């Protein structure tokens, strides 16, 4: 590829903060399987960032983080309430069902927002109570959603109140958690445990690490046995320091949020540059680091011919995702190329 | 820890070759999920090293590599023939059973060697054929074994001949594969596909990488669907380049074997230094990078008091495992301390 | 309950034909686990009825029959295309996902018919081909559907042609298979293997047996290992003769179809009696043994007060299902009571 | 087969008590899925027999009963302590691992008795506590054992005390539970909950039913969700009355124990008839309904030629199992034939 691409925030490499911490950690003998100082430091750094004595686990990727967390919150014969656009439903190749040994995802239509509401959760959870229906045990929300939209703190609180009322646990898929925090300008605690979230899968990879996600249990009793679960499921790193150290680097001085703000700003920059171009349309409000833009098919073809990579989602919208490394000049070039392709 | 430790080869960090390749790979936008150039280069490097157009997959750790490979070689109602000391039996917390959804391990007593024989495999595979018994589908061997012993090429060939005769697939757990190659001085091809191995799990982590193992299918038809299997099981890295690049570094100019030779030499060095010390005894022949030494309990206690870390296995033997970074002076210090603790 | 009820065809007891065969089988010592003469006779009777040298297995219930058959037709990382109303989707509490260890159901909206079309199957099967999406391996159709509607033979043939074209297997959930045969007046072979069905789950319980379903593989290579699969999954009866003998009884002289015709006639009888009553409406065409009737809520309440049991489906329609034992007088009583409750 | 056989107690048919109850239950419309009066009556009959307000479930067979009960008592990453001869280890084709999604059986050598001891349980449960080892959660004992031997009440109490001390649940595989009660002459309560058993799988099939086992939770909190678990696992009978009614028949007036006493007496009768025959030897004490007799290979061959069916276990012993229907004359004929074959 001849220049920076925005098809996915997974296209970005390892950020300087994560890299430096890995380098620092790469010294001498270190005890394996997470009994080392780096794992402790990373856990403590997350606990400090979340202002909570949470139980923290480091796993390899988001598929495993979400699937294992959900599996720990339900039994195989129970179900998970999720948005129709939830990544665990659309893009995990049956991973939640595999790790939970059969828990069913009950999906709710969200008309593109990917956001659940208390009403929809209640309707789904109380609609049936017979033995032939897998009783709901967990609700999962994605913050920001797969379409780049944010739940407000009030919305999360309302959902968690409904969950508590119905005896459901609340899980948050935070693959791009830092982007949400940066966008809302709130404290991580406010968006999670103070709002009633039981377990957070906090993304590291999309935020700038090479590999690794954190599973954070705010209710420690729910974490019982999770270490064994990770081990059995192939998610216990032997040289754990290399999964943990990047978190130390990212959380130092709030660097992770700086990166997230940078990524979000790039999305806003693109959105603003596209405003006013005729024949194209932002499909969803740009609230975090994603831009979904509806481009006429011929223009989209031309854009690809100019070397731009992007996915098409939900009725043909082109998706652009920005990471910690987004170059302003390149964002501007993309905007210009879109305009040119549409005008052509 | 005040000095280098030899409790496990997982205590070592990332070797210079792997590190340099990761650094090289950490440049610019790269396509995710293994569709990138680094993944291709690493696969090609392994294919070159094995002189075979094999199908190659990169996963996060050995638990997953072995469990997924075995799961792909049997159905849930079939079984896996393994040595009683096989890591998948003793130290994986039920991972093979989990990934295969219930395939049973049929273990064969090996009296400490960890080595299977054609006779024992045949006896196990043909002992029963009723519907209540999970019919054997795969044999797994570990090279070198968990007690640091090697199968000769002839032994592997004899086992694979038996497997073919019985309609069984042959899997090799090569968590320390490079140590075996370095010790036997043979070509990777000779120890694997030319000897009848169907699938190899080739260790990267213990050999000097931070994270990552390679699953190598010499029979490509067996690899059908394995990419989806990895995805569903949480073993598909989004930023795959960082799992792949280290292999490029390790395989360049045969560096991986230099490291393995270094580790093996450290084991030999310790073994030689311990020879002649009264009251201690090498429990297994030192053929790769492991030394199992029987130390009187009091002496073992004193050794721990001097700051040495080690596991005790199989009736009290202390295990020392050497990695790419083993310092000769530190090996000598360990030998001296063992002698002193025994003499005390 | 004071009189016969039509809430479900599961409310009926064991029919005389099945009972007599069980009684006949209950003599003396018989080899266990299906190696007995009754199992052979029942298998042969099914092979004769289907005019095909199929592989036949007897399992305990429909949940297991469908789930095991589907699990044998896909891998955990693959998917199953089904109607949104398919019993395996709506009423099995995650059983297909459990038995298959995570295969995902991809459901197609059918607007109440429960019938798939070649076009919808093709669209679902070819919509995505990326690694994050569980690739389709099987299509399942229910005949008659959960709403009592029939696929014509031509429709089944068109679906199977599409399946073959796409490399998909075709499974038929025939929980009420005899009702479909009786209604269409065709041969079992015509509705199954001659129309391209690979595996049929042929219902015994709803047709008049106490317990038991038959899984029939028309392609014997697909049955490989299915006996072990049944064993592991708790579906191998030790005293198999009691699962098998009822089939001998049912298939003797086509009795199963007589029962099915009787049940279908009861449904038609009710439908005809209800025709012309104002304010009620048949929600689906009555093609087999089910009647779905839309009754005003107050009338439905009154009907319950009169002692009638029924389920409400799909926006409030009352479902009545008829079995081999349906009494005409009781059907008429139901019709009269519905009319009265509506008129009240 | 020309005469009654004793290869297995599964060779027997349905006993008169069970048959009569099924016949009685086969009347009219009955609510499905266990919401019927027969299910209630059978549950109450078991509660009365066990003098305990236990939670009772009826499933199809022993494979499922034991596997589901064990799955409900552990998590996939935990383990089950069992005797090396336990049926769940030797004859279930991986069913416990399948239903539990990977829980590992930790087997203890019992030298043919099949009986666990508190010491052996403690040693196994406390031997390791690292993350690579699936931590024990349940102990399972079989009463009588697979070799026809009984735990005394004191032995069960001692085991349960050890379990409580170690935080383990105690499961009893009672496939031939009635034979144990009949042999020990104690109350069902004494052998189970009063002795500390948490969950009992109480055999119906081998005791004289056609199909069906009862899973009895003495601690109702452990039963939470078990109904859904049964449903998902294909073990919820739609016409449940036919799984339940036989229990009503069997438990009426203690008939089940009469049958068991009859079966036990047949075993004793054979054992006594064999006493004193040279060259043969009872391999295990005859304490319930099994006789294991060591017969010289040539004599065993001749015995088969005379039309006798039997399994060979554990180094060549012929096994004879007696059921509710054992005919004294046929037992005597077997004894005579054994004597003749040995003498020949």
């Amino acid at each position: 590829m001849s220049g920076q691409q925005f098809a996915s925030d997974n296209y970005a490499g390892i950020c300087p903060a994560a890299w430096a911490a890995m380098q620092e950690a790469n010294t001498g003998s270190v005890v394996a399987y997470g009994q080392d100082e780096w794992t402790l430091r990373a856990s403590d750094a997350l606990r400090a960032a979340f202002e909570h004595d949470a139980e923290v686990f480091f796993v390899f990727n988001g598929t495993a983080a979400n699937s294992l967390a959900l599996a720990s919150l339900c039994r195989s014969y129970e179900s998970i309430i999720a948005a129709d656009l939830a990544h665990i439903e659309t893009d995990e190749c049956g991973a939640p069902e595999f790790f939970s040994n059969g828990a069913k995802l009950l999906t709710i239509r969200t008309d593109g927002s990917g956001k659940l509401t208390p009403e929809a959760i209640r309707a789904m959870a109380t609609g049936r109570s017979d033995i032939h229906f897998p009783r709901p045990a967990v609700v999962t929300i994605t913050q920001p959603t797969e379409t780049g939209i944010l739940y407000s703190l009030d919305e999360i609180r309302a959902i968690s109140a409904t969950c508590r009322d119905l005896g459901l646990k609340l899980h948050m898929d935070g693959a791009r958690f830092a982007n949400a925090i940066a966008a809302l300008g709130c404290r991580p605690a406010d968006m999670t445990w103070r709002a009633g979230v039981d377990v957070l899968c906090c993304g590291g990879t999309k935020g700038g690490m090479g590999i690794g996600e954190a599973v954070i249990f705010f209710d420690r009793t729910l974490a019982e046995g999770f270490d064994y679960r990770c081990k059995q499921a192939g998610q216990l790193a032997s040289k754990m320091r290399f999964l943990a150290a990047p978190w130390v680097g990212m959380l130092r001085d709030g660097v992770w949020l700086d990166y997230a703000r940078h990524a979000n700003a790039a999305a806003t920059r693109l959105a603003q540059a596209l405003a006013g171009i005729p024949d194209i349309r932002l499909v969803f409000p740009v609230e975090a680091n994603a831009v979904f833009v509806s481009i006429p098919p011929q223009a989209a073809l031309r854009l690809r011919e100019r070397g731009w990579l992007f996915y098409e989602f939900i009725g043909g919208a082109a998706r652009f995702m920005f990471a910690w490394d987004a170059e302003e000049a390149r964002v501007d070039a993309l905007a210009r190329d879109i305009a040119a392709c549409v005008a052509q």
Side-chain angles (χ1 to χ4, degrees), chain A:
Chain A
M1 292 182 291
S2 54
Q4 197 177 47
Q5 294 286 347
F6 305 120
S8 169
D9 31 6
N10 281 323
Y11 280 35
I14 302 177
C15 66
W19 184 269
M22 281 177 67
Q23 196 155 21
E24 203 183 327
N26 194 21
T27 321
S29 294
V30 165
V31 180
Y33 298 114
Q35 305 305 306
D36 65 287
E37 207 179 325
W38 282 97
T39 304
L40 182 61
R41 282 177 61 187
S43 303
D44 283 346
L46 279 163
R47 285 189 275 262
F50 284 87
E51 306 169 61
H52 193 287
D53 186 31
E55 192 82 84
V56 176
F57 301 88
F58 301 104
V59 299
F60 293 117
N61 69 4
T63 305
N66 286 315
S67 298
L68 287 172
L70 291 168
S72 77
L73 296 173
C74 65
R75 293 289 216 164
S76 67
Y77 45 79
E78 295 180 320
S79 57
I80 300 158
I81 296 177
D84 52 357
L85 297 182
H87 199 75
I88 57 160
E89 168 66 11
T90 63
D91 284 278
E92 294 295 17
C93 200
E97 293 88 345
F98 173 79
F99 283 97
S100 67
N101 200 23
K104 211 168 172 71
L105 302 192
L106 305 179
T107 57
I108 292 176
R109 283 184 66 176
T110 64
D111 296 313
S113 76
K115 282 170 68 175
L116 299 179
T117 63
E119 297 68 36
I121 292 168
R122 184 174 297 275
M124 178 63 88
T126 59
R128 285 180 60 180
S129 62
D130 58 279
I131 193 77
H132 312 290
F133 185 74
R135 63 181 186 193
V138 205
V139 170
T140 178
I141 56 176
T142 310
Q143 174 78 328
T145 70
E146 289 71 15
T147 46
I149 298 176
L150 292 165
Y151 287 92
S152 72
L153 299 192
D154 277 347
E155 286 173 330
I156 298 172
R157 286 182 206 119
I159 286 175
S160 79
T162 299
C163 289
R164 272 192 305 277
D165 188 40
L166 297 167
L168 305 171
K169 299 297 175 198
L170 182 56
H171 165 264
M172 180 180 280
D173 175 350
R176 299 179 178 98
F177 184 78
N179 299 96
I181 293 292
L184 289 183
C186 68
R187 307 178 77 85
D190 291 336
M191 198 187 284
T192 56
W193 62 273
R194 281 203 198 107
V197 171
D198 294 299
V199 182
L200 168 69
C201 292
C202 187
T205 314
K206 291 189 170 79
M209 292 169 47
I211 286 168
E213 314 283 300
V215 184
I216 305 176
F217 288 83
F218 299 107
D219 177 349
R220 279 180 168 255
T221 63
L222 296 176
E224 205 285 313
F226 197 76
D227 46 352
Y228 286 90
R229 186 182 289 278
C230 288
K231 165 69 197 187
Q232 183 182 41
Q235 293 289 329
L236 179 65
S238 52
K239 297 184 178 176
M240 183 71 92
R241 56 172 143 168
F242 298 113
L243 272 192
W247 285 102
V248 176
M250 300 282 284
L251 293 167
R252 213 179 265 152
D253 305 323
V255 170
W256 67 324
L257 301 182
D258 296 339
Y259 288 138
R261 267 186 292 267
H262 178 85
N264 293 355
T268 303
R269 187 179 186 92
L270 177 64
Q272 288 172 341
L274 297 178
I277 300 181
D279 293 331
I280 73 169
R281 188 175 54 86
L282 294 183
V283 180
F284 301 110
V286 174
E287 299 183 1
N289 65 324
V291 175
F292 288 79
V293 53
S294 172
I295 304 177
Q298 285 304 318
L301 265 179
R302 287 190 286 265
L303 195 60
R304 291 194 193 281
E305 284 165 13
R306 289 183 184 223
W308 289 100
L309 304 178
F310 51 93
Y311 291 97
E312 290 187 44
F313 277 73
I314 311 169
R319 186 191 77 162
F320 298 98
M321 300 292 299
F322 301 92
W324 63 272
D325 64 343
E327 301 161 9
E328 296 195 349
R330 190 74 181 148
V331 176
D332 295 344
L334 171 59
R336 276 195 309 273
D337 277 356
I338 293 176
C341 291
V342 169
Q344 208 169 328

